[in-house]
Amino acid sequence: MTQATAAAVADGGVRSVARAFDLLNGFDAEHPVRTLRELVDISGLPKSTVVRLLGTLTSQGIIASPGESTSYSVGPSFLRWVKLAEAMWEIGPEARQLMTALRDRCGETVNIYIRQDLHRLSIAQIEGTTTVRSVVQVGARYPLTSGAAGRVLLAACPDTILAALAEQSGVSAADLRSRAAGDLEAGCAITHGERELGASAVAAPILSADGRVLAALSISGPTSRFTADRAARYVDAVTDTARQISAVGLGTVEAFL
């Protein structure tokens, strides 16, 4: 095989993997089952390509489809990876207790976010106590350039990531760096409606022993509850809890951050 042919095969392989993930990303807690037509629409791929990918994924147990049905769901092979991910990415009990105490103190949903490439995702969540509350999907990718937690995590981004985010968002890398530096100096970030209209959040950095930003601790909820008076109390509560979590550590997950 020539180098050119090998490169073409490799590129095709990478493209197939990316397309497979496009299909898998179509499943979530609200849509545990998808039809073939839905997967074609979600992925934007030709039906023949989707059928071929589904066949490969089904043969590996990653996708399941009962009998001759044209409906699909995630397969049993995920069970092995779910248990492994839970074991490796579970935060320590002390950090979770502090998250629960913060939820009880403020009543709002508490999340710990980390950066993954150009996105942020929650690795731990304690839901708020009110009927109307903010809840995100743990493990789902969210923008790094919007929301209080994203702004906190920007402070730890290398220049290469900021350049990629600038190209993606249309905001200059210098502006992103300046914004992140300002939030880091203030010790927290407050946003209203940045990621989602009507939703507000307060976030503060969780630091390693050597001062690196490991993660962002946030509380979020309806903007109507984030009044000036409450937001000031929330800032004190979140920054105080973030310092406590920084002191006790995040547990075994910290080795991967």
Side-chain angles (χ1 to χ4, degrees), residues 138-161:
V138 175
R141 298 190 303 173
Y142 292 94
L144 194 59
T145 53
S146 64
R151 292 176 62 160
V152 167
L153 292 171
L154 278 176
C157 288
D159 290 340
T160 53
I161 294 296

Side-chain angles (χ1 to χ4, degrees), residues 115-136:
R115 181 180 70 83
Q116 290 282 285
D117 194 31
L118 303 183
H119 300 85
R120 61 182 167 98
L121 56 87
S122 170
I123 58 171
Q125 180 179 98
I126 305 293
E127 289 193 22
T129 57
T130 58
T131 301
V132 180
R133 57 186 182 270
S134 173
V135 179
V136 299

Side-chain angles (χ1 to χ4, degrees), residues 161-248:
I161 294 296
L162 287 177
L165 288 170
E167 183 176 354
Q168 181 186 80
S169 65
V171 179
S172 73
D175 285 343
L176 290 174
R177 177 67 77 190
S178 175
R179 179 190 303 173
D183 290 329
L184 189 60
E185 183 178 355
C188 68
I190 306 173
T191 58
H192 301 289
E194 270 198 8
R195 185 184 66 83
E196 184 177 350
L197 186 63
S200 294
V202 174
I206 296 173
L207 306 177
S208 65
D210 59 2
R212 291 182 301 111
V213 176
L214 294 176
L217 175 71
S218 81
I219 62 168
S220 57
T223 298
S224 59
R225 287 206 296 267
F226 279 63
T227 60
D229 181 55
R230 280 187 176 180
R233 298 200 305 270
Y234 290 169
V235 166
D236 290 340
V238 172
T239 54
D240 180 52
T241 304
R243 282 193 296 268
Q244 292 181 65
I245 294 177
S246 298
V248 302

Side-chain angles (χ1 to χ4, degrees), residues 20-157:
F21 275 106
D22 286 340
L23 296 182
L24 293 173
N25 284 330
F27 299 97
D28 54 35
E30 296 180 355
H31 305 93
V33 178
R34 291 287 196 182
T35 65
L36 175 59
R37 171 49 56 190
E38 286 177 324
L39 291 172
V40 170
D41 292 341
I42 290 168
S43 66
L45 297 171
K47 181 178 179 180
S48 58
T49 300
V50 173
V51 169
R52 185 171 66 254
L53 289 169
L54 288 171
T56 300
L57 294 171
T58 300
S59 69
Q60 298 297 317
I62 297 173
I63 289 290
S65 180
E68 299 299 319
S69 172
T70 57
S71 295
Y72 299 85
S73 66
V74 294
S77 288
F78 270 110
L79 292 172
R80 175 170 64 93
W81 293 318
V82 166
K83 293 183 179 298
L84 178 61
E86 287 178 344
M88 296 181 69
W89 291 95
E90 175 66 22
I91 67 167
E94 289 179 299
R96 187 167 285 278
Q97 287 172 7
L98 289 166
M99 290 178 66
T100 301
L102 176 61
R103 187 276 310 274
D104 294 342
R105 183 175 173 181
C106 299
E108 305 294 353
T109 297
V110 179
N111 281 279
I112 289 180
Y113 287 91
I114 63 170
R115 181 180 70 83
Q116 290 282 285
D117 194 31
L118 303 183
H119 300 85
R120 61 182 167 98
L121 56 87
S122 170
I123 58 171
Q125 180 179 98
I126 305 293
E127 289 193 22
T129 57
T130 58
T131 301
V132 180
R133 57 186 182 270
S134 173
V135 179
V136 299
Q137 292 185 49
V138 175
R141 298 190 303 173
Y142 292 94
L144 194 59
T145 53
S146 64
R151 292 176 62 160
V152 167
L153 292 171
L154 278 176
C157 288

